[in-house]
Amino acid sequence: MTAPAPKPWIDAIAPYLPGRTTTDSGVRATKLSSNENPFGTGAPARAAYAAEAGTLDRYPDPGATLLREALAAKYGLDPTRVIYGTGSDEILHLAAGAFAGVGDEVLQVRYGFSVYEIAARRVGATLVVAPDKDYATDIDALLAAVTPKTRVVFVANPNNPTGTYSNRSDIARLHAGLPADCLLVIDQAYAEYLAPGADDGALELARGAQNVLVTRTFSKIHGLAAERIGWGYGSAPVITALHKIRAPFNVTTAGQAAAVAALGDDAFVDRSRDHNATWRAWFATTMNAIDGLRAVPSEANFSLILFEGRLTAQAAFEGLMERGYIVRWLPGQGLPHALRITIGTEEETRGVAAAIADMAAAA
Ligand SMILES: *Cc1c(COP(=O)(O)O)cnc(C)c1O
């Protein structure tokens, strides 16, 4: 008997591999593989979530009104131009779905977020990959890869899995070099981890340009990964198109309430960002001091460690697993020689660093 045949472009998709939660032997371990907040969720967000236990029988507000208004007030936005999604992942899929299809090209950097490729292939578009510049986003290479068929350009800033950052003039130059009919998606999943005052100017571009979509998430610094809430900002025509194809009740009631509370909890965000900056710097210095290891400069809440000496990334990945640390090894993304490690608590960060140092000394 023949089963229904998926479309060939769906068949060609390599499935997304989530960060693992258990070791090879099934033990629950320290999870440093999904860039979650080691402090968990702020108390106000948890309370707002819990307070919605009595509303489970009702559909959520399909317009996410309070959330859009809170975002607009915080970032100086027009609330009618805010889109929200079941994670920012949904918004990335909406962007590809609304603006690209069979015969079109979707462009990304060499070491880009793996959801972009799935989003592009899902709609039958062709993924085009621009070379990196020592793991960082190369604006000239991206611009050189644009063709008349390019419909969407995905850039994460800071980027995942590299952690690298393109500054304001880089992003402005990228936007200025793109044709007006090409949508530039700037994925700011890690923007809150930037040093205070640092700003790549993406939201400002999205306020004024017709072809810019900025996406953000509550999954990372806000510690709400389980609730799946992302948002985006763009021009009215872009946002209107995204709304047409999003799921009707795509953000839960408790999630909307928790997100609004998290948005007002600056103390939690500041503490999370400051902790991350301190331990990210310590971790990079510690790794760079080990012969054969190199930390790619990161502005995010993780560090990509390159294994260029005797200790291989695979051996380190397996050794860390045995010692109870789950990190991200990404051979499927062209990084068989690297591990992406989330910055955890002080104890976790010291622990994973000591384990790597031990293995390097023994290799
Ligand atoms: C984690 C991440 C996201 C989004 O996650 P959601 O949980 O779907 O909001 C988006 N982009 C990048 C680059 C990420 O690392």
Side-chain angles (χ1 to χ4, degrees):
M1 285 218 294
T2 50
K7 303 310 291 179
W9 54 87
I10 302 292
D11 233 8
I13 292 174
Y16 179 83
L17 294 174
R20 297 169 49 160
T21 46
T22 52
T23 67
D24 286 339
S25 53
V27 173
R28 241 195 133 73
T30 299
K31 186 185 175 203
L32 301 174
S33 56
S34 295
N35 304 336
E36 295 146 328
N37 190 326
F39 295 151
T41 312
R46 263 187 287 124
Y49 171 87
E52 295 298 338
T55 67
L56 291 173
D57 57 321
R58 299 289 166 180
Y59 278 106
D61 172 8
T65 314
L66 296 179
L67 176 58
R68 281 189 298 107
E69 285 171 357
L71 289 164
K74 184 160 185 92
Y75 295 108
L77 309 174
D78 173 351
T80 67
R81 289 166 50 194
V82 175
I83 181 87
Y84 37 90
T86 310
S88 51
D89 282 358
E90 183 189 14
I91 300 172
L92 302 172
H93 279 284
L94 297 178
F99 295 96
V102 175
D104 297 329
E105 292 176 358
V106 170
L107 178 60
Q108 67 158 60
V109 296
R110 172 134 181 251
Y111 303 112
F113 184 43
S114 53
V115 167
Y116 307 153
E117 176 166 359
I118 298 172
R121 291 184 184 276
R122 175 186 182 177
V123 299
T126 302
L127 185 80
V128 176
V129 177
D132 62 302
K133 194 165 60 189
D134 198 21
Y135 300 92
T137 295
D138 184 338
I139 302 294
D140 296 315
L142 276 171
L143 290 174
V146 172
T147 77
K149 291 180 180 172
T150 310
R151 295 275 72 83
V152 179
V153 179
F154 283 114
V155 171
N157 200 37
N159 188 31
N160 174 14
T162 61
T164 54
Y165 178 66
S166 303
N167 65 25
R168 199 182 180 85
S169 66
D170 291 334
I171 296 296
R173 197 156 61 83
L174 174 60
H175 176 249
L178 290 177
D181 63 355
C182 177
L183 180 69
L184 173 59
V185 180
I186 304 167
D187 175 347
Q188 292 192 325
Y190 301 97
E192 297 88 351
Y193 286 103
L194 295 174
D199 178 3
D200 66 7
L203 266 182
E204 207 175 299
L205 278 178
R207 284 189 192 97
Q210 292 292 305
N211 65 334
V212 175
L213 175 69
V214 170
T215 63
R216 293 269 192 112
T217 182
F218 283 91
S219 301
K220 304 287 159 57
I221 208 164
H222 291 299
L224 287 167
E227 274 304 289
R228 315 300 304 118
I229 314 151
W231 63 279
Y233 195 68
S235 64
V238 166
I239 298 299
T240 299
L242 302 185
H243 274 297
K244 288 183 182 178
I245 56 169
R246 72 171 169 80
F249 300 98
N250 61 344
V251 181
T252 64
T253 303
Q256 292 183 31
V260 169
L263 215 53
D265 192 358
D266 287 340
F268 181 76
V269 169
D270 291 349
R271 174 168 160 251
S272 302
R273 183 195 57 234
D274 292 350
H275 165 88
N276 183 69
T278 301
W279 289 96
R280 182 183 64 206
W282 179 89
F283 189 63
T285 304
T286 305
M287 292 297 104
N288 283 328
I290 298 173
D291 201 31
L293 266 50
R294 177 157 72 104
V296 174
S298 172
E299 296 293 333
N301 67 340
F302 56 84
S303 185
L304 186 72
I305 306 299
L306 308 175
F307 289 73
E308 301 172 325
R310 277 207 305 281
L311 177 63
T312 66
Q314 181 173 6
F317 173 75
E318 287 162 2
L320 287 173
M321 185 82 76
E322 282 167 24
R323 291 164 171 82
Y325 295 96
I326 303 176
V327 301
R328 198 68 161 262
W329 180 43
L330 295 163
Q333 283 184 245
L335 293 166
H337 56 292
L339 296 181
R340 194 197 69 191
I341 303 176
T342 304
I343 304 302
T345 62
E346 172 177 351
E347 185 188 356
E348 290 165 348
T349 308
R350 286 187 184 279
V352 76
I356 293 170
D358 275 357
M359 288 186 280

